[in-house]
Amino acid sequence: DDLLMVQNPVRELQSLRGEPFVVTNTSVQDANARLADAGLKSETYEINAVLELDKAGEIGFRLRKSGAAETVVGVSTATNTLFVDRTKSGDISFSRDFPGRYSTKLSRTRQIKLRIFVDRSSVEVFADCGEKVMTDRIYPPPGSTGIELYSTGGAGKVSLTIWPLASIWK
């Protein structure tokens, strides 16, 4: 009975999608093995995911990963939050205020729908059909194209589709 404002990306972004990578209702470990087998690496992509925490205390993604660099997008049941952690996202030296773990409260965390857009210098996360949205700048080093899932404190399940995205600049 309440009004709720949501945000969603424009439909036109779908025209930039390449061939999808899909996994359905699988463990984080299996999803990572399939990602490795597919050799999926990109600087720009869209992820649609349903994360089921089950017994996991935290579950999420390590994005634009290479060596020690990564930007983490995750969900924590302990704090009931969605977060973006850019403490290791690449160049963070220009401001002591830049690195950090930024979060927003969620109404539920057992199962969460995420739509994530990753670009060369940004990560944008839409949770639960746009009820919560987080946007962060990142400055990863060249070659940071890895994508990895993770869970802590127990097993979680994931269903996801990842599309590489073409440039809007022709």
Side-chain angles (χ1 to χ4, degrees), residues 1-168:
D1 293 331
D2 294 329
L3 291 176
L4 179 65
M5 182 181 293
V6 297
Q7 295 181 25
N8 283 295
V10 296
R11 283 187 305 273
E12 290 78 7
L13 287 171
Q14 294 176 16
S15 69
L16 302 175
R17 290 175 175 170
E19 289 298 313
F21 168 83
V22 180
V23 296
T24 305
N25 197 30
T26 190
S27 69
V28 168
Q29 183 179 9
D30 183 51
N32 278 332
R34 293 186 56 198
L35 272 167
D37 288 346
L40 183 62
K41 294 181 181 293
S42 183
E43 289 184 327
T44 58
Y45 48 90
E46 175 186 353
I47 301 171
N48 280 359
V50 177
L51 305 176
E52 295 183 35
L53 276 78
D54 196 24
K55 293 184 168 96
E58 193 173 291
I59 191 169
F61 295 90
R62 293 184 177 108
L63 306 171
R64 295 299 310 269
K65 185 171 175 50
S66 72
E70 65 185 18
T71 300
V72 180
V73 174
V75 177
S76 169
T77 56
T79 58
N80 217 38
T81 57
L82 166 69
F83 65 87
V84 176
D85 184 335
R86 62 183 187 187
T87 56
K88 299 181 203 171
S89 64
D91 184 6
I92 58 172
S93 64
F94 55 89
S95 170
R96 65 180 179 85
D97 298 324
F98 184 80
R101 181 171 162 152
Y102 306 95
S103 63
T104 184
K105 286 285 186 189
L106 295 170
S107 56
R108 61 190 171 279
T109 55
R110 287 289 158 211
Q111 182 185 66
I112 182 110
K113 294 179 184 177
L114 297 179
R115 190 166 178 197
I116 305 169
F117 289 85
V118 179
D119 201 342
R120 287 176 181 88
S121 65
S122 66
V123 173
E124 191 156 18
V125 184
F126 297 82
D128 284 336
C129 301
E131 287 183 25
K132 300 291 182 171
V133 178
M134 298 182 73
T135 301
D136 281 279
R137 298 286 298 186
I138 58 172
Y139 301 100
S144 297
T145 58
I147 304 168
E148 181 180 273
L149 288 104
Y150 78 96
S151 66
T152 63
K157 292 267 188 198
V158 61
S159 295
L160 63 90
T161 303
I162 302 174
W163 293 272
L165 294 176
S167 174
I168 62 167

